[in-house]
């Protein structure tokens, strides 16, 4: 049996970047970068952990551990994973979501900030605007493993009525002014309210016009292929989670315009990447200055997964106990 003990992550070898391949300090924030976002300029890498094996497979990329540029104390650390791999080799249905989230939890991140390129389902959300969704509509097709607790012998149910961290979204929203679109007269906006909804489709093909119109009728504001199961898994790990959605296109609902294609998405990635860097820099610099309450307190999620596991403790197998220990050494 493969064992996932601490020691296998702590051997001192050097990575291909001449940075240590292990890290023994504390990690505060986990970041999952999406399409077009493979690193952040405000981070100064200090270690590159090779793609991490977990009980649910291996992460989609090495995990870059960084300090924050300009943080004199150098005490705040960030772990960064590229969702689709460093070469964008994992299509949305095949991203090892469980390994990615499990690794960030195992590293003891206190929250996860995720970035995603999305289509807009609303006229007022322009390409290049950013959105902090607070709700999700699931249009994936059941082919993604979406739980850590869904085996015969390990049953768990966690609340998901409010799938994102409102406190985290509010924290991010204070930096709305840093995003910008120099090529347009209309200001770039960071949209955020309690009902803002992201639709998660399976892909990899984009939606038909009929589907796109249906998502608008359902209340969708933006659409991507990545927020699920990522958000569910973060919740199962008791990790405060917020996705920053970066609009790249108007999807397919506008009859007068051509439906979305990759060229349209790519055309907006440069500006979105610049804004993601500006926003992340503002957020992380402030976090390093003073850790926000939702990270210190756990945002009301502490104990929720433990309480949600309904299988009797004496009935848990060694394998399931090992999996639980990987995520929650404090409980099991
Ligand atoms: C290249 S457009 C479709 C692709 O972009 C988004 O990826 P990510 O969320 O990782 O930025 C979307 O979810 C799709 O996977
Ligand atoms: N229109 C769209 N549909 C799904 N995922 C997307 N990512 C970026 N644009 C998208």
């Amino acid at each position: 049996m493969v064992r996932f003990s601490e020691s296998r992550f702590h051997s001192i070898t050097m990575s291909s970047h001449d940075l240590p391949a292990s890290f023994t300090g504390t990690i505060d924030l986990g970041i999952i970068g999406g399409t077009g976002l493979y690193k952040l300029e405000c981070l100064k890498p200090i270690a590159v952990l090779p793609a991490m094996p977990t009980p649910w497979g291996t992460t989609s990329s090495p995990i870059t551990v960084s300090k924050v540029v300009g943080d004199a104390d150098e005490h705040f650390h960030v772990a960064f994973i590229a969702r689709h791999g460093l070469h964008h080799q994992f299509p949305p249905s095949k991203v090892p979501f469980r390994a990615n989230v499990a690794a960030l939890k195992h590293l003891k991140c206190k929250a996860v900030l995720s970035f995603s390129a999305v289509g807009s389902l609303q006229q007022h959300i322009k390409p290049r605007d950013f959105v902090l969704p607070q709700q999700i509509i699931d249009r994936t097709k059941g082919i993604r493993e979406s739980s850590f607790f869904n085996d015969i012998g390990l049953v768990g149910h966690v609340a998901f009525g409010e799938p994102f961290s409102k406190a985290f979204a509010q924290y991010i929203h204070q930096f709305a002014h840093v995003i910008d679109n120099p090529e347009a007269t209309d200001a770039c906006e960071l949209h955020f309210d309690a009902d803002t909804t992201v639709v998660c489709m399976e892909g990899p093909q984009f939606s038909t016009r009929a589907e796109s119109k249906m998502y608008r009728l359902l209340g969708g504001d933006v659409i991507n292929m990545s927020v699920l199961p990522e958000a569910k898994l973060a919740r199962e790990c008791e990790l405060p989670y917020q996705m920053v959605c970066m609009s790249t296109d108007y999807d397919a609902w506008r009859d007068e315009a051509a439906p979305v294609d990759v060229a349209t998405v790519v055309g907006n990635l440069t500006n979105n990447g610049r804004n993601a860097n500006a926003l992340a820099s503002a957020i992380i610099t402030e976090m390093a200055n003073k850790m926000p309450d939702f990270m210190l307190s756990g945002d009301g999620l502490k104990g929720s997964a433990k309480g949600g596991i309904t299988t009797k403790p004496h009935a848990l197998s060694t394998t399931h106990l090992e999996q639980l220990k990987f995520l929650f050494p404090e409980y099991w």
Side-chain angles (χ1 to χ4, degrees):
M1 183 173 48
V2 181
R3 299 217 152 252
F4 300 92
S5 63
E6 289 288 313
S7 58
R8 67 189 283 157
F9 308 116
H10 289 170
S11 57
I12 304 283
T13 50
M14 299 306 269
S15 71
S16 54
H17 308 74
D18 282 341
L19 288 169
S22 63
F23 180 74
T24 51
T26 55
I27 296 185
D28 301 289
L29 179 69
I31 297 189
I32 302 177
T35 301
L37 198 68
Y38 305 99
K39 60 180 179 157
L40 290 168
E41 282 146 26
C42 65
L43 300 178
K44 169 104 181 81
I46 51 176
V48 180
L49 315 184
M52 183 190 282
T54 77
W56 300 275
T58 301
T59 56
S60 50
S61 76
I63 303 176
T64 307
V65 179
S66 302
K67 58 188 184 183
V68 183
V69 172
D71 173 23
D73 296 341
E74 300 193 352
H75 66 288
F76 191 90
H77 298 122
V78 178
F80 185 99
I81 294 181
R83 180 182 293 119
H84 300 280
L86 292 182
H87 311 290
H88 209 101
Q89 66 271 38
F90 291 97
S93 308
K94 304 218 159 105
V95 169
F97 288 103
R98 292 196 299 180
N100 290 351
V101 176
L104 294 177
K105 172 67 180 178
H106 186 74
L107 291 169
K108 301 196 165 38
C109 293
K110 299 176 184 72
V112 174
L113 173 61
S114 158
F115 287 90
S116 171
V118 301
S120 168
L121 298 169
Q122 299 296 337
Q123 186 68 36
H124 70 282
I125 302 175
K126 309 177 293 297
R128 304 189 179 189
D129 280 1
F130 282 14
V131 178
L132 299 170
Q134 293 301 286
Q135 284 298 327
I136 305 176
I137 294 174
D138 188 356
R139 285 279 300 165
T140 63
K141 302 291 182 188
I143 61 175
R144 306 177 184 196
E145 292 288 355
S146 62
S147 176
F148 294 111
F149 315 137
N150 194 25
D151 267 343
I152 296 171
L154 178 57
V155 181
H157 306 280
V158 294
F160 201 54
E162 290 170 357
F164 296 99
S165 164
K166 187 172 165 207
F168 199 171
Q170 284 168 333
Y171 190 83
I172 297 168
H173 195 244
Q174 66 179 309
F175 302 110
H177 57 278
V178 306
I179 69 167
D180 178 23
N181 181 5
E183 286 163 29
T185 44
D186 287 349
C188 233
E189 290 173 84
L190 176 58
H191 303 267
F192 168 47
D193 75 50
D195 297 327
T196 309
T197 300
V198 54
V199 176
C200 188
M201 60 176 295
E202 188 61 54
Q205 303 84 356
F206 291 114
S207 306
T208 65
R209 287 196 189 276
E211 287 164 338
S212 193
K213 289 173 191 173
M214 176 182 75
Y215 297 143
R216 282 165 49 79
L217 292 174
L218 291 178
D221 294 299
V222 290
I223 181 164
N224 74 3
M225 305 174 191
S226 323
V227 71
L228 294 175
E230 202 170 86
K232 289 186 174 178
L233 296 165
R235 179 55 54 87
E236 285 192 343
C237 285
E238 303 181 358
L239 279 167
Y241 173 90
Q242 183 61 49
M243 176 172 268
V244 176
C245 290
M246 307 178 289
S247 166
T248 51
D249 55 84
Y250 274 121
D251 200 45
W253 56 273
R254 300 200 315 171
D255 284 326
E256 69 280 18
V260 59
D261 60 9
V262 166
T264 311
V265 171
V266 170
N268 288 315
L269 286 181
T270 306
N271 200 76
N272 284 356
R274 193 167 49 234
N275 279 332
N277 268 284
L279 188 60
S281 174
I283 295 165
I284 298 166
T285 304
E286 183 57 22
M287 282 179 174
N289 195 27
K290 182 175 182 294
M291 186 85 73
D293 283 346
F294 71 88
M295 288 174 79
L296 289 170
S297 69
D299 203 24
L301 297 174
K302 281 210 171 112
S304 58
K306 187 172 189 220
I309 291 189
T310 46
T311 305
K312 300 262 187 301
H314 70 265
L316 293 168
S317 66
T318 318
T319 307
H320 287 139
L321 276 171
E322 269 212 5
Q323 293 178 350
L324 290 171
K325 266 193 195 43
F326 189 88
L327 300 176
F328 302 106
E330 67 277 32
Y331 301 153
W332 279 281

